[in-house]
Amino acid sequence: MINDEPDARGLVSIALQTFRDSVLPAIPAERRFEALMIANALSIAERELAAKPEAALEAQIPQLCSDIDAGTYDAPERQADLRKVLWELTRARLAISNPRLLDPVPPGAA
Amino acid sequence: MTAEAPLLDETRLPRLEAWIADKAGADRVTVVDEGRLSGGAISLNLAVTLEIEGGAFAGRHEAVLRTGSASGVSASLGKAEEGMVLRAAFAAGARAPEPLFISDPAAGDDALLGAPFYIMRRALGVAAGRKVVKAEQPQRELAREMGRQLGLIHSIKPGTAGLDFLPMPEPSPGLQCERDYREWMGRFAGTDPVLAYGLRWLTLYAPPAGEVVLCHRDYRTGNYMVDQGRLTAIIDWEFAGWSDPMEDLAWFCAASWRFGQAGREAGGLSDRADFYSGYEETAGRRVDQEAVAYWETAAYLRWAAVAIQQGMRHTSGTEPSIELALTGRMLPEIEQDLLRHLDSLDGRTLFGRTA
């Protein structure tokens, strides 16, 4: 396959930058909420395109869900261990969807 | 529903006026359309003024006409049913907007506007969460008042006339909710381990079946109106149903609805203690902190299920919308709040079982 440049990430990135720098300041107040949503959507897309999905981890997720459903993690200490894994998965997704909400220190690391 | 076509066109407007005149026993009714009100991802709210000549309703009434077809969110009531819930809440003395006229599907009223609808009195004030929580000092009295109001709403019990359409939870409110959320989440319940864990947790720690009351089920900052620091109306009743009263208290206090005032756990207004003490003044029951902790877990799962459904309304192609699309991507932040809450319960005993 021939690689065209810039790639999707590069295009989204420059589109977002142009939108923020040149277009957003000129948007009338009654359209500002929508404009901010557009900027937000583009910035999520940009971060997602930059992220490297961990295929090995992804493959284990359905099994993890069935194990949870089956009660494998019901004991309180196993729940605590499970929550550590779930925190990692959630923080990785939050880093894409809304990184401002990430705690600087991950839970349990203090 | 298209944005450009007015709801009250030249065919519908006179039919609506005749319908109101009939309901109100009036000689003549004029409806003045004042345009759409903002808010509500699901409903259409139209500001209207009713000029009524003769009959019990004679006079000028500033009102809201609320309609909208069944949404993609499974739990929402039809508008005629919502109107009946509002009528019960108003009768119980809660500050719900007074419903004036409710369409009766059995009488064929839905044909008037193409969907069920009702007309209620219009309240003054703002509902937007960020504006409501904006205050230098904690809004202790408002938090207490929100508690008192919830106590009044919870005085409505199964068997209340006009509310037979609301289903009873089986075998208990907690287990019914777990089943409902799992269904609303669809495939996400099997592909997102945080949701799978949350649902499992709801089964493990479910309170035994107890007293069931009318719950608002979206009782939170953003869904009530405030004018100069005082409550004017509790709105958005479309998710109401019979449940454990502690469900509404937990929803109000969940981290999702504090709008930047994270330290004011009661809806971004004030401490939980203020909200709880107001509740106990009118409810005739104590706040059960164990049950509130359980229902706060349920709150994050419910909000996750709703966010998934909102996202799906966009993704499925039925209702392309950037707002709905972005709501679908709020899942990780809802799940972070869920995990924080479950970490906070580590080692506590809930209904005889260690968390």
Side-chain angles (χ1 to χ4, degrees), chain B residues 306-329:
Chain B
V306 171
I308 286 170
Q309 292 209 325
Q310 302 278 46
M312 287 308 293
R313 281 162 70 191
H314 165 82
T315 308
S316 66
T318 52
E319 204 175 331
S321 148
I322 189 163
E323 190 171 8
L324 294 173
L326 288 170
T327 304
R329 295 300 293 254

Side-chain angles (χ1 to χ4, degrees), chain B residues 5 14 22 29 55 107 121 126 135 145 155-156 184 204 226 253 279 305 311-313 347:
Chain B
D22 180 50
V29 171
R121 276 195 207 287
V126 293
E145 180 60 16
S155 70
I156 303 167
W184 304 342
L204 286 177
V226 172
C253 295
Y279 182 76
M312 287 308 293
R313 281 162 70 191

